[in-house]
Amino acid sequence: MGRSSSATAAAGSKKRKSKTGAVTLGEVKTLGQELLSSRAHLNHAPTLLALLSPSAPLDLALEALISLQSFFVPLVPSIPSAAAAVGDAGSDPELVFKSWLRKRFDELLAALVELTVSPHSDEAIRDLALDALMDFVKLGKDGRFQSAIYHKFLHALIDAADSIDPLLELLGGKYFKYADVCYFTYTSLDKISSSIGNKTTDSEKNDLHSGDDGSEDRGTICVRNIYNTLAHIPALDFQEESVLHMWSTVGLFSKGEKNSSEDSSPTYIKKKLKSKFTKAWVSFLKLPLPLDVYKEVLATIHQNIIPSMSNPAILCDFLTRSYDIGGVISVMALSGLFILMTQHGLEYPKFYDKLYALLTPVVFMAKHRAVFLQLLDACLKSSYIPAYLAAAFAKRLSRLTLSVPPAGAIIIIALIHNLLRRHPSINFLVHWEIDANDSETANKASQHKKVGTDPFNNEETDPAKSGAMRSSLWEIDTLRHHYSPAVSRFVASLENDLTIRAKTTEMKISDFSSGSYATVFRDEARRRIKQVPLAFYRTTPNYLFQASDFPGWTFRDQLKNVAETTVEENGISTLEISDSSPAKRLRV
């Protein structure tokens, strides 16, 4: 009897679905009012569910959604679980009703997820569908967070092939401000990332930069969506006085979990949030990341990820692997790696060797060069750096001045200035002093200082074997004749005796690290120069000096013209001037 009634209802539902195109707004309102008034009109629910589609008319879909939400909200606590609804209801009318109610509720949730995620949904219906879905999430038994419903929604969000930015903007503005929503978001993203990672082959994991200009596969799309979702969650505030707001009544506890007064304390909640945040990011960073996502993660990991993690040292594998790749990836990984080394006790023996290898002309034209150069200066600040290492970095930077733009040369001068000031033991690179009485030292110097040769090997990747200790900073001297006035003026700062620390100060690399051709040109254009006298003429002069410039004086060419004119007019020569005679003064 129960099965036959269900079959009749399903047949009626299909019949009504074929006629939804002819339903008017007034009829939809009537169906909603009748559904809310009595159980006798339960079959109106499938008709209204058929209108919850991105392709349905907007006014009909909005009215149907409002009616269905009003119908199901009071019934949510009594709706059985999906597992309980699968069993045979038998002839009990109440069990049959609850089983039917469970199926219709699942259909409503699926329709709400489709309306929320679909790119064809109108902004108004998407907003209302998201609000209805989140209302059902917090209306579980005893006010517990319905993590199963929320997980289905996030799974559909991550699987979406189209852009999810509009939906993430809604989530970020309305719901990511609640601690329990963030908690279960991290939980779901951790599970989804782990599931994708288990399905990914080892070859795909090793190919971190894979990707072409064509269409992306499903795995790459999912990775991008996971990252966009994580990036839209605001930074966690773990200050003691901060207040945590909850979306559900119970908070972080979902169905089947028990809580106590200690588990509801802000300290415990923040600890749980940190743990889930860490697990979500670690699971995500194990996935094969597209190159653009990989760069974005490295660019923000020291600001948005490491400070909020429960154990930042867990990122050492990811950062050291990125640092070993080389090129721009290594430059961007330096920020996070530096924080782990200085604040969390990470030991990386080959750190300075890798840093030395990164000093190439490409670095001074990279997008993130400002951060890298500031970190480079910070890494070379320690007084425990051996002299050979400081000399190798100074010489490597000095050689780069021959091939970098003017802005890069200015930064290098500032870096070498700080190196010479911090490490007085390498000042011999600027000025070699050889004791004439020390024959052994003189012989070695003569061997190493052959005319036209430099013992420094710029191709050597090991700073200890580069030969910098037997070289000099002759490249810096060439900058005195640099074509850019800014460089030739700035190099004069190295002429001071930097060993006298009381009379010198370190240069702030941040003042120069963002330089470019545009900034150099702008600074030169704004530079005030001394005024010089200029001569202006109304007409182009025929002589170097005019007669009016020297009153009472007549010059040779002018006298010759006067003599020729006098001879022609009078027929006699009244004034004879020799071409070789100097200018003569005439009496007036």
Side-chain angles (χ1 to χ4, degrees):
M1 180 177 180
R3 293 179 179 176
S4 61
S5 62
S6 299
T8 304
S13 173
K14 291 181 180 180
K15 186 175 181 181
R16 289 186 181 92
K17 285 182 181 179
S18 63
K19 298 180 180 180
T20 53
V23 177
T24 63
L25 180 60
E27 293 174 346
V28 174
K29 290 183 178 180
T30 302
L31 291 174
Q33 293 172 359
E34 292 178 353
L35 176 64
L36 295 174
S37 62
S38 173
R39 284 190 179 185
H41 304 287
L42 290 177
N43 286 332
H44 291 347
T47 304
L48 295 174
L49 284 170
L51 294 172
L52 298 183
S53 171
S55 59
L58 179 60
D59 55 346
L60 302 184
L62 289 173
E63 186 63 33
L65 178 55
I66 294 173
S67 300
L68 289 170
Q69 183 180 4
S70 302
F71 172 73
F72 278 102
V73 164
L75 300 175
V76 168
S78 61
I79 296 178
S81 62
V86 173
D88 189 3
S91 59
D92 188 348
E94 189 64 24
L95 294 179
V96 173
F97 169 70
K98 288 185 177 181
S99 177
W100 177 90
L101 195 64
R102 177 75 245 182
K103 294 178 181 178
R104 302 291 84 79
F105 185 65
D106 289 341
E107 293 177 3
L108 174 62
L109 293 178
L112 291 177
V113 170
E114 182 184 5
L115 288 172
T116 306
V117 177
S118 175
H120 306 293
S121 299
D122 188 86
E123 183 178 353
I125 192 67
R126 179 186 292 112
D127 197 351
L128 188 60
L130 179 61
D131 292 341
L133 189 65
M134 295 303 295
D135 283 341
F136 291 130
V137 166
K138 73 173 182 178
L139 291 176
K141 188 177 181 180
D142 299 329
R144 295 183 181 275
F145 196 96
Q146 295 287 336
S147 58
I149 297 176
Y150 190 64
H151 181 73
K152 289 180 181 179
F153 163 65
L154 281 183
H155 205 286
L157 179 70
I158 300 304
D159 283 339
D162 299 286
S163 175
I164 60 173
D165 289 340
L167 182 54
L168 290 177
E169 293 294 335
L170 286 176
L171 281 170
K174 286 187 173 183
Y175 301 107
F176 283 160
K177 60 185 178 182
Y178 298 105
D180 52 349
V181 175
C182 294
Y183 176 86
F184 288 104
T185 302
Y186 292 135
T187 302
S188 296
L189 294 180
D190 178 23
K191 295 179 180 178
I192 296 172
S193 299
S194 300
S195 177
I196 296 175
N198 294 333
K199 297 177 183 178
T200 305
T201 61
D202 293 336
S203 61
E204 291 174 332
K205 286 183 179 180
N206 294 331
D207 190 9
L208 294 176
H209 312 297
S210 61
D212 49 19
D213 297 334
S215 60
E216 297 178 327
D217 58 1
R218 179 177 175 275
T220 304
I221 294 175
C222 291
V223 170
R224 291 186 184 277
N225 290 341
I226 292 174
Y227 173 72
N228 290 335
T229 305
L230 287 171
H232 275 79
I233 302 177
L236 302 177
D237 185 9
F238 294 107
Q239 300 297 327
E240 293 295 335
E241 63 274 7
S242 61
V243 179
L244 298 177
H245 301 282
M246 299 293 175
W247 174 244
S248 61
T249 305
V250 177
L252 302 186
F253 301 93
S254 60
K255 186 176 180 181
E257 296 180 346
K258 297 181 180 180
N259 65 318
S260 61
S261 57
E262 295 181 358
D263 295 343
S264 301
S265 63
T267 304
Y268 177 80
I269 292 175
K270 292 173 183 178
K271 182 179 179 181
K272 294 279 288 184
L273 271 173
K274 267 194 170 185
S275 176
K276 291 297 181 181
F277 175 89
T278 303
K279 290 181 178 179
W281 273 105
V282 170
S283 298
F284 169 72
L285 294 178
K286 291 180 181 179
L287 299 176
L289 306 181
L291 183 58
D292 56 337
V293 174
Y294 198 33
K295 289 182 177 180
E296 289 184 23
V297 170
L298 291 175
T300 59
I301 194 171
H302 62 289
Q303 294 178 339
N304 301 336
I305 302 176
I306 292 180
S308 300
M309 300 196 80
S310 58
N311 182 21
I314 202 172
L315 294 176
C316 64
D317 291 339
F318 172 75
L319 290 173
T320 53
R321 186 173 65 249
S322 303
Y323 193 60
D324 291 340
I325 290 176
V328 180
I329 297 297
S330 296
V331 172
M332 301 179 71
L334 182 61
S335 299
L337 196 60
F338 181 75
I339 292 177
L340 292 186
M341 293 177 60
T342 56
Q343 300 180 13
H344 301 281
L346 175 65
E347 295 184 2
Y348 190 47
K350 297 294 183 180
F351 175 77
Y352 283 101
D353 292 355
K354 296 289 184 181
L355 184 62
Y356 181 80
L358 290 178
L359 294 179
T360 60
V362 179
V363 170
F364 293 86
M365 292 175 282
K367 180 179 179 181
H368 302 279
R369 64 183 180 275
V371 177
F372 170 75
L373 294 171
Q374 294 176 37
L375 288 173
L376 173 64
D377 183 65
C379 293
L380 300 175
K381 186 174 291 187
S382 175
S383 58
Y384 294 102
I385 295 178
Y388 81 88
L389 191 60
F393 274 92
K395 181 60 180 179
R396 179 92 166 192
L397 290 169
S398 178
R399 182 61 58 88
L400 285 174
T401 58
L402 304 179
S403 56
V404 297
I410 293 176
I411 301 171
I412 290 176
I413 294 172
L415 287 169
I416 293 179
H417 176 279
N418 292 343
L419 274 172
L420 294 175
R421 186 178 181 275
R422 295 166 185 165
H423 307 281
S425 59
I426 67 171
N427 274 268
F428 65 87
L429 295 175
V430 179
H431 179 65
W432 273 86
E433 290 185 358
I434 302 176
D435 187 1
N437 298 324
D438 190 351
S439 58
E440 183 179 355
T441 304
N443 293 333
K444 290 183 178 180
S446 62
Q447 293 176 4
H448 298 318
K449 292 284 184 177
K450 294 181 180 180
V451 178
T453 62
D454 188 346
F456 175 72
N457 184 6
N458 195 43
E459 304 299 327
E460 176 61 51
T461 58
D462 188 356
K465 301 177 181 179
S466 63
M469 295 289 287
R470 296 179 282 112
S471 182
S472 64
L473 303 182
W474 59 265
E475 299 91 348
I476 298 299
D477 188 62
T478 64
L479 298 182
R480 300 173 185 271
H481 311 287
H482 198 277
Y483 68 89
S484 174
V487 177
S488 59
R489 287 194 305 267
F490 192 57
V491 76
S493 61
L494 297 180
E495 296 179 357
N496 301 325
D497 188 359
L498 299 178
T499 59
I500 306 176
R501 299 175 61 88
K503 296 183 178 181
T504 57
T505 57
E506 284 196 1
M507 293 186 177
K508 293 183 178 180
I509 303 302
S510 58
D511 296 340
F512 312 98
S513 57
S514 299
S516 62
Y517 278 109
T519 58
V520 172
F521 179 81
R522 185 187 65 228
D523 293 341
E524 285 297 315
R526 292 177 178 177
R527 186 168 176 266
R528 300 180 64 180
I529 60 176
K530 183 179 179 180
Q531 297 290 335
V532 295
L534 300 175
F536 297 93
Y537 299 93
R538 296 182 183 276
T539 58
T540 304
N542 296 325
Y543 303 96
L544 181 60
F545 301 106
Q546 298 292 336
S548 59
D549 295 336
F550 301 90
W553 287 81
T554 302
F555 294 93
R556 180 181 60 193
D557 292 341
Q558 293 176 334
L559 293 175
K560 182 179 180 180
N561 294 336
V562 171
E564 292 175 354
T565 304
T566 305
V567 170
E568 291 177 358
E569 289 180 354
N570 302 327
I572 58 175
S573 177
T574 58
L575 185 62
E576 295 181 359
I577 304 291
S578 175
D579 292 341
S580 59
S581 61
K584 296 181 179 180
R585 185 175 183 178
L586 301 181
R587 296 181 180 179
V588 179

